[in-house]
Amino acid sequence: MLDDTETANPIKTLIATAQPPRQTAKAKPQQSHPTGSEQPPKAEQTQAQDDPWGEPVLFDTLSLTPEIDCKLLPGIVGEYGESLTQNLQVPSALVVATELSVLSTALARKVVIGPYPDDDYIEPVNVWTLGVAESGERKSQILSRCKRPLVYWEKETTRKEKAEIEENTSIRSIGRKRAEKLEGIQPAILVDFPQAAKRKFRASGLFARFFPVYPLSNIGRRNVRKRVLIADELQAAYDRAVMDLLDIELIEGKEYRLELDTQARELWLGFAEEMEKGQADGGEYRDLRDWVAKLPGGALRLAGLFHLAEHGKQGLIQPVNFQTMASAVGLAMRLIDHARAVFGLVGADKTTDDAKAVWAWIVENQMTGFFRSDAHKRFHTKFGKVEVLEEVLDVLKGRELIHGPYKSKQGKGNRPSHGYTVNPAALLLATHQGGKGLKTS
């Protein structure tokens, strides 16, 4: 059993390596004060010296999403993904997401995983992924290459069980049409959803069940003269590994159940604790609360996929170990910023929409700091209670756009006021965008 210190260290390390590096912003635009009874707080008056700025995540723009390396995937699946990424010169995140979907298809309704052997809580070993990329990013080629063993296995199974398969022809046809429609999803499609539809889509909880990836595009940076071939032996090994999982048969119709060893369980619990804290008011994941709430369960699913991708059928009788769980948690952490970027396209809940309005107000007035009282005065018809405004400010904090609150003596009669400082790098980036789409009404 790991003690608290030993448990915390790997979690903190994974979080630090999975997220974009924190850096101190140097650019600082000139300050112009908004009209009001109080002067905005200055950073040196309010902000702690050991509170550096992280990478800002602006609204309605593709922020710097972390790379998702195929090496996170175990064994032959990771090797094949790396080779395919180089062969097609595509973002590795799209390959990882597609391979996860292939593994999920092979293991659907066959295997579950739970943190405790004597507990009813289990997760099925499959995930749903959503790859968002521009047209021309070679998504169809990625899918075609990754699903090759699925297609071959289906043809063989159809030949052997033709009578039974024919009964489900119409069902498969409907499913295929839906899949083809999803294969062409692009950022513009998500952006063009009506606002009411976006909110319903997210409020339904459906979107929170997806693992989205939104990598930076390779278009314009690909070397058309470069050729990296996938070795025949590697292709055959990948095909065989996937088909071996497809060939797993249930015993008396009962799903296999994977368990975690002690260290893997402690690591998962530490990760779940971090995700829980991040959902609290003021937490860094407050704006993704609905999605992050499902992430510990998602990490379990990923660990199950990784475990079986590495060990094959033998993994059904082995516990998931620490290293496999570490890879699953590392991937889950990297997915957070991808989810935040995609949620910005799909649309958010009312709190995040209100946060956009407050951020637009900050940018329009070029504030390097502000008081909560001034923000409440400016938006009193929108927010009403201060508690509602605080939730909105929590979203801005989670995006590293502001820090605070800090106590300041700049209020009337030197009463302590709740001051916030603005990330100068974020303000400069937003200003360079020319205030696109900024509305504070």
Side-chain angles (χ1 to χ4, degrees):
M1 179 73 68
L2 300 176
D3 61 31
D4 290 342
T5 302
E6 291 173 322
T7 302
N9 284 340
I11 285 292
K12 295 299 185 183
T13 300
L14 285 169
I15 290 176
T17 57
Q19 293 180 324
R22 296 178 67 88
Q23 58 186 18
T24 302
K26 297 180 179 179
K28 187 174 183 179
Q30 291 187 344
Q31 177 181 5
S32 61
H33 301 302
T35 303
S37 59
E38 305 175 12
Q39 293 294 313
K42 298 179 180 178
E44 61 269 19
Q45 293 176 324
T46 59
Q47 187 169 355
Q49 295 299 314
D50 60 348
D51 192 11
W53 292 108
E55 188 75 27
V57 182
L58 299 181
F59 294 102
D60 300 324
T61 61
L62 176 56
S63 58
L64 181 62
T65 50
E67 181 181 359
I68 300 179
D69 200 309
C70 292
K71 293 178 181 178
L72 275 173
L73 300 177
I76 199 66
V77 177
E79 291 179 31
Y80 180 76
E82 181 68 19
S83 183
L84 183 60
T85 296
Q86 296 180 25
N87 175 265
L88 296 178
Q89 297 188 54
V90 293
S92 56
L94 294 178
V95 175
V96 170
T98 306
E99 287 194 301
L100 287 175
S101 293
V102 169
L103 293 174
S104 295
T105 301
L107 293 168
R109 298 186 179 182
K110 295 180 180 179
V111 185
V112 297
I113 186 171
Y116 300 100
D118 58 349
D119 197 296
D120 290 337
Y121 170 51
I122 56 173
E123 294 280 352
V125 178
N126 64 277
V127 297
W128 293 271
T129 64
L130 174 64
V132 180
E134 299 289 346
S135 177
E137 203 68 75
R138 300 172 178 169
K139 300 183 295 294
S140 296
Q141 293 185 56
I142 296 172
L143 180 61
S144 177
R145 301 288 283 276
C146 288
K147 73 178 184 179
R148 177 177 132 154
L150 297 180
V151 174
Y152 181 80
W153 186 88
E154 182 183 39
K155 289 180 179 178
E156 285 297 300
T157 303
T158 301
R159 183 178 61 81
K160 295 176 182 177
E161 304 175 5
K162 184 176 181 181
E164 181 179 349
I165 294 297
E166 286 179 349
E167 296 179 4
N168 297 314
T169 299
S170 60
I171 297 177
R172 294 204 325 277
S173 176
I174 294 173
R176 186 178 297 111
K177 290 180 180 178
R178 289 178 178 173
E180 290 172 353
K181 185 176 181 180
L182 287 175
E183 285 174 17
I185 193 159
Q186 297 173 6
I189 295 177
L190 299 179
V191 172
D192 289 342
F193 278 0
Q195 189 61 33
K198 291 180 180 180
R199 288 185 177 175
K200 288 181 179 179
F201 189 35
R202 182 162 182 185
S204 68
L206 176 63
F207 200 68
R209 298 181 183 277
F210 283 84
F211 276 171
V213 294
Y214 192 178
L216 297 178
S217 176
N218 278 4
I219 296 176
R221 298 184 289 116
R222 297 175 295 207
N223 184 352
V224 298
R225 297 180 181 273
K226 182 179 180 181
R227 293 182 69 228
V228 178
L229 300 180
I230 298 178
D232 292 341
E233 297 81 3
L234 179 58
Q235 181 70 62
Y238 168 75
D239 292 347
R240 186 165 54 250
V242 174
M243 288 190 286
D244 283 347
L245 298 180
L246 284 162
D247 285 335
I248 292 177
E249 295 183 358
L250 302 183
I251 299 177
E252 297 181 354
K254 187 177 181 180
E255 295 171 316
Y256 295 94
R257 176 167 178 159
L258 300 180
E259 298 180 0
L260 311 182
D261 69 18
T262 302
Q263 291 188 333
R265 184 184 306 114
E266 288 298 324
L267 180 56
W268 178 78
L269 288 171
F271 170 70
E273 288 175 344
E274 290 295 321
M275 294 303 99
E276 185 67 22
K277 294 175 184 175
Q279 297 174 60
D281 292 342
E284 57 185 314
Y285 310 129
R286 172 61 182 83
D287 58 327
L288 294 173
R289 181 181 284 176
D290 53 341
W291 187 82
V292 169
K294 298 181 181 297
L295 198 54
L300 275 179
R301 295 176 181 228
L302 289 174
L305 289 175
F306 287 8
H307 176 73
L308 291 171
E310 180 176 8
H311 300 289
K313 295 178 181 179
Q314 288 298 313
L316 297 173
I317 57 175
Q318 301 174 12
V320 175
N321 61 33
F322 177 90
Q323 187 55 54
T324 298
M325 182 57 71
S327 296
V329 168
L331 175 55
M333 287 303 307
R334 285 170 170 80
L335 288 170
I336 291 175
D337 283 339
H338 286 263
R340 186 170 273 133
V342 173
F343 275 26
L345 295 176
V346 173
D349 54 20
K350 185 178 185 303
T351 301
T352 305
D353 288 341
D354 288 342
K356 291 183 182 181
V358 174
W359 176 243
W361 170 67
I362 292 171
V363 174
E364 287 174 353
N365 291 281
Q366 289 291 287
M367 294 185 233
T368 58
F370 63 95
F371 287 103
R372 187 183 66 187
S373 56
D374 284 334
H376 189 246
K377 180 179 180 181
R378 170 64 182 81
F379 294 99
H380 69 280
T381 57
K382 180 182 287 287
F383 301 140
K385 297 182 179 180
V386 172
E387 291 77 11
V388 178
L389 173 60
E390 289 177 340
E391 291 186 4
V392 169
L393 297 178
D394 285 342
V395 173
L396 298 181
K397 288 169 60 178
R399 287 175 169 265
E400 283 292 319
L401 301 179
I402 65 173
H403 278 180
Y406 305 104
K407 293 297 179 68
S408 172
K409 294 292 185 180
Q410 299 296 312
K412 291 182 179 179
N414 287 329
R415 292 179 300 174
S417 297
H418 295 84
Y420 292 82
T421 52
V422 178
N423 186 335
L427 189 59
L428 188 60
L429 284 172
T431 302
H432 283 174
Q433 290 176 356
K436 181 181 177 181
L438 296 178
K439 295 181 180 179
T440 60
S441 59

